[in-house]
Amino acid sequence: MSLEIRSLRKDDRAAWAGLWAQYIAFYEHPPLAGDVVETTFARLIDPQCSSQNGAVACAGDEVVGLAHFIYHPHNWRMEEMCYLQDLFTAPHARGQGVARALITHVAQQAHDKGAGAPYWLTQESNSTARHLYDQVATLTPFVKYQM
Amino acid sequence: MQTVNIGPLKAQHRDQWLGLWAQLTAFYGSELAKGIYDQSFARLTDKDQRQTGAFLALNEHEAVGMVHFVAYPHNWKPEPVCYLQDLFIVPSHRRQGLAQALIEKVAQHAQAMSWAPPHWMTNDDNVPARALYDRIATLTPYVKYQL
């Protein structure tokens, strides 16, 4: 499979929304309201909105994966941090390096921007994803609390 | 506890804040370059930016606790989320409800700013902190990876 990773753009809207809905469902989260999806997509493709960014993986004409990443200030560093917030590969395109390529792309984007290397969160029980993450990144001792 | 006041971090608190901050970073085995302290302090006390901020707990003129927070965009919701990044209480003032009071202060601020409620990360072996967090927040199933 020849894979191209590039920034999310306006004409990806339909394909992106399909993957995004599957991703949200994976987290057993109710579907996001239409206006939330619209707002997020608009921010992800808006070059003026530099803190919220999207990338897609394309196999030929088909969009088979997405990554969303956010830049935010960090009190321990001069540079901004890059938070890889969402990562999804279409089920039929798994096991072919799509997620790894997306992570590499986000890392390159962060590097080019002068931001810190990406971090991300994943469910402790997501063994499929963690199999990859354990190869490409470092598991930190941090757990997350939510108020 | 009765004599402790919690308020926004201000420019005149620089020395007190530095003392706490150095203790916090030392707890995590880190020492930051001076430029990072300068930049973080300037940003945390800059009234013209609302993305990051801090509260300081003062016992008379002695700084006894502090908390830093940062808001950043989230793809799942239109409003920013509030990330409580740093929380520290001097050893002499622990177990008096100060950490809880600082967290609640951030939660109130987040609500006033229409941000999603605070989340934070902690070392999974930080037993004393987690005893509090388990009471006032929800442990999520998320673990953190860093590239």
Side-chain angles (χ1 to χ4, degrees), chain A residues 20 23-24 27 29 32 36 40 43-44 51-52 68 70 72-78 81 83 85-86 103 107 117-124 130 133-134 136-147, chain B residues 21 25 28 30 32 35-36 39-40 43-44 51-52 68 70 72-78 83 85-86 103 107 117-124 130 133-134 136-147:
Chain A
W20 183 227
Y23 173 80
I24 297 293
Y27 281 98
H29 189 285
L32 299 178
V36 174
T40 293
R43 288 175 181 167
L44 290 170
S51 62
Q52 213 165 341
H68 300 155
I70 281 166
H72 68 75
H74 193 290
N75 294 309
W76 295 53
R77 296 164 176 265
M78 298 299 284
M81 282 301 285
Y83 171 29
Q85 191 173 69
D86 307 301
I103 292 171
Y119 73 91
W120 60 89
L121 305 179
T122 198
Q123 285 179 333
E124 193 177 14
R130 293 187 63 184
Y133 302 159
D134 286 332
V136 302
T138 303
L139 176 66
T140 75
F142 291 97
V143 294
K144 177 183 173 183
Y145 280 85
Q146 178 72 58
M147 234 176 158
Chain B
W21 192 212
T25 54
Y28 282 102
S30 295
L32 305 181
I36 298 176
Q39 174 177 285
S40 290
R43 195 165 52 203
L44 290 169
Q51 191 180 6
T52 69
H68 300 155
V70 51
Y72 61 77
H74 196 291
N75 296 306
W76 297 42
K77 47 188 89 185
Y83 171 32
Q85 190 172 62
D86 306 300
I103 292 171
H119 68 274
W120 59 88
M121 313 274 190
T122 199
N123 249 300
D124 65 357
R130 293 189 63 181
Y133 303 159
D134 286 332
I136 64 171
T138 302
L139 175 65
T140 75
Y142 290 93
V143 292
K144 178 182 173 182
Y145 281 85
Q146 177 73 57
L147 204 65

Side-chain angles (χ1 to χ4, degrees), chain A residues 5-138:
Chain A
I5 311 291
R6 58 165 174 77
S7 294
L8 182 69
R9 58 188 194 213
K10 197 171 182 180
D11 61 352
D12 294 322
R13 173 73 179 79
W16 170 86
L19 291 181
W20 183 227
Q22 289 178 67
Y23 173 80
I24 297 293
F26 171 80
Y27 281 98
E28 298 177 350
H29 189 285
L32 299 178
D35 58 339
V36 174
V37 175
E38 286 309 320
T39 301
T40 293
F41 186 73
R43 288 175 181 167
L44 290 170
I45 61 168
D46 181 357
Q48 303 299 314
C49 181
S50 60
S51 62
Q52 213 165 341
N53 303 277
V56 287
C58 302
D61 292 334
E62 190 192 1
V63 176
V64 295
L66 64 77
H68 300 155
F69 51 107
I70 281 166
Y71 296 108
H72 68 75
H74 193 290
N75 294 309
W76 295 53
R77 296 164 176 265
M78 298 299 284
E79 70 277 13
E80 288 188 306
M81 282 301 285
C82 177
Y83 171 29
L84 173 59
Q85 191 173 69
D86 307 301
L87 180 67
F88 187 74
T89 303
H92 70 272
R94 289 185 186 162
Q96 299 167 63
V98 173
R100 183 190 290 256
L102 282 163
I103 292 171
T104 302
H105 174 85
V106 172
Q108 187 63 48
Q109 296 283 309
H111 180 265
D112 292 349
K113 189 182 162 71
Y119 73 91
W120 60 89
L121 305 179
T122 198
Q123 285 179 333
E124 193 177 14
S125 61
N126 191 343
S127 54
T128 308
R130 293 187 63 184
H131 181 68
L132 169 64
Y133 302 159
D134 286 332
Q135 288 171 46
V136 302
T138 303

